[in-house]
Amino acid sequence: PNEIDEWLLSKSSTVNDLIWYLEIDIQNHIPAECTIKYDNIERKIKIKEDLKLEGGAGSCLTISNSGYWLRISNSCLEKTFDISCDEDFITTLLYQKNNGNTIYVSDNTNSASSLGTTTEKVNVKCLKTSTVCDYEGTLWAALALNKNGNDINAFIPYLIALAEDNKKFFPSSFLYLLTGGEDQYNEIVQSQKQGKYWEVTASPYKRFYDSSLGMLALGGGSPDVESVKIYLLSIQPKEGCWNNNNIRDS
């Protein structure tokens, strides 16, 4: 398994489908001055009373359209940013899909007292087939790598932000297994059909496959899973296989 894990991880690459922001929040919501260091150069910005940013932070960081965050250039995603402010502060990373409206907040938030330092670095990967991120492949590989005890946190932002574009692969079932998120749980439960099975819109694999994913995600003991078990067993033919002896579905 270690060799397989290493092979899968060797296919990981930087994701260009996301926009990343650095957020600096002054804990008492008062004006402050902050220093951001990268490439061994310090840049200073001001946080005004309305919490908007002022100043220049170099070519890697530009003030976002909203004025509250610093957008990280795609060419600087591998860089490390050290932040220090003259008031108590918090830093975190935000991200969104290219041309998307939803802003996602990174799970990691760092805080420091006045003149202390926090460090932020984008950590996002996908698994690529040739030169293109393979969303379905990354779902399955992240699940397998996680089961083998590997750190798969770098895949989560990509999988979450691109889930809306890939609903046909039932991403909420994978993401609930990987993150335990309440949103993913609710989506799984609410998408069940007639309390009997799952079959997501435009699914390439249809009812039996999707039902298996839903059952795997929710696990044994869930009433939603029990109802699917009853349904599947009620339509199991005497040969034992489902869907006209389809090996994959069975």
Side-chain angles (χ1 to χ4, degrees), residues 179-246:
T179 69
E182 185 178 350
D183 288 346
Q184 283 78 34
Y185 173 82
N186 290 336
E187 187 170 333
I188 295 169
V189 172
Q190 291 168 12
S191 64
Q192 193 179 50
K193 308 289 187 184
Q194 302 173 30
K196 294 181 177 180
Y197 60 89
W198 282 276
E199 186 171 359
V200 298
T201 302
S203 170
Y205 308 118
K206 308 303 180 186
R207 181 176 306 182
F208 297 100
Y209 182 96
D210 293 349
S211 294
S212 300
L213 286 180
M215 294 171 72
L216 285 171
L218 296 183
S222 165
D224 299 286
V225 169
E226 291 303 316
S227 64
V228 180
K229 285 183 182 178
I230 294 170
Y231 166 71
L232 290 175
L233 291 172
S234 72
I235 62 170
Q236 184 183 26
K238 61 182 181 180
E239 293 82 8
C241 288
W242 282 269
N243 196 16
N244 295 317
N245 293 321
N246 183 286

Side-chain angles (χ1 to χ4, degrees), residues 92-106:
T92 193
L93 296 173
L94 314 175
Y95 58 96
Q96 68 180 135
K97 183 184 67 174
N98 286 342
N99 303 317
N101 296 318
T102 303
I103 301 293
Y104 302 94
V105 182
S106 169

Side-chain angles (χ1 to χ4, degrees), residues 14 23 27 59 63 159 166 175 179:
T14 302
E23 180 181 27
Q27 292 194 25
S59 60
I63 296 176
L159 293 175
N166 292 278
L175 287 167
T179 69

Side-chain angles (χ1 to χ4, degrees), residues 49 66 69 88 207 212:
E49 190 170 357
S66 69
W69 311 320
D88 296 352
R207 181 176 306 182
S212 300

Side-chain angles (χ1 to χ4, degrees), residues 10-82:
S10 74
K11 303 300 179 182
S12 64
S13 182
T14 302
V15 177
N16 296 319
D17 301 291
L18 304 178
I19 299 170
W20 286 86
Y21 303 96
L22 169 63
E23 180 181 27
I24 306 172
D25 184 28
I26 304 303
Q27 292 194 25
N28 294 324
H29 291 171
I30 57 177
E33 185 173 275
C34 299
T35 299
I36 304 173
K37 182 179 179 181
Y38 61 93
D39 291 340
N40 295 316
I41 299 174
E42 292 186 348
R43 285 90 170 174
K44 293 187 180 297
I45 62 166
K46 291 182 178 179
I47 300 179
K48 300 186 292 183
E49 190 170 357
D50 62 0
L51 305 182
K52 289 192 174 183
L53 307 179
E54 182 178 80
S59 60
C60 282
L61 299 169
T62 55
I63 296 176
S64 66
N65 292 335
S66 69
Y68 295 106
W69 311 320
L70 291 166
R71 177 173 175 172
I72 303 172
S73 169
N74 281 350
S75 62
C76 301
L77 295 179
E78 300 292 335
K79 296 186 183 297
T80 298
F81 302 95
D82 296 318

Side-chain angles (χ1 to χ4, degrees), residues 85 137-138:
C85 299
T138 305

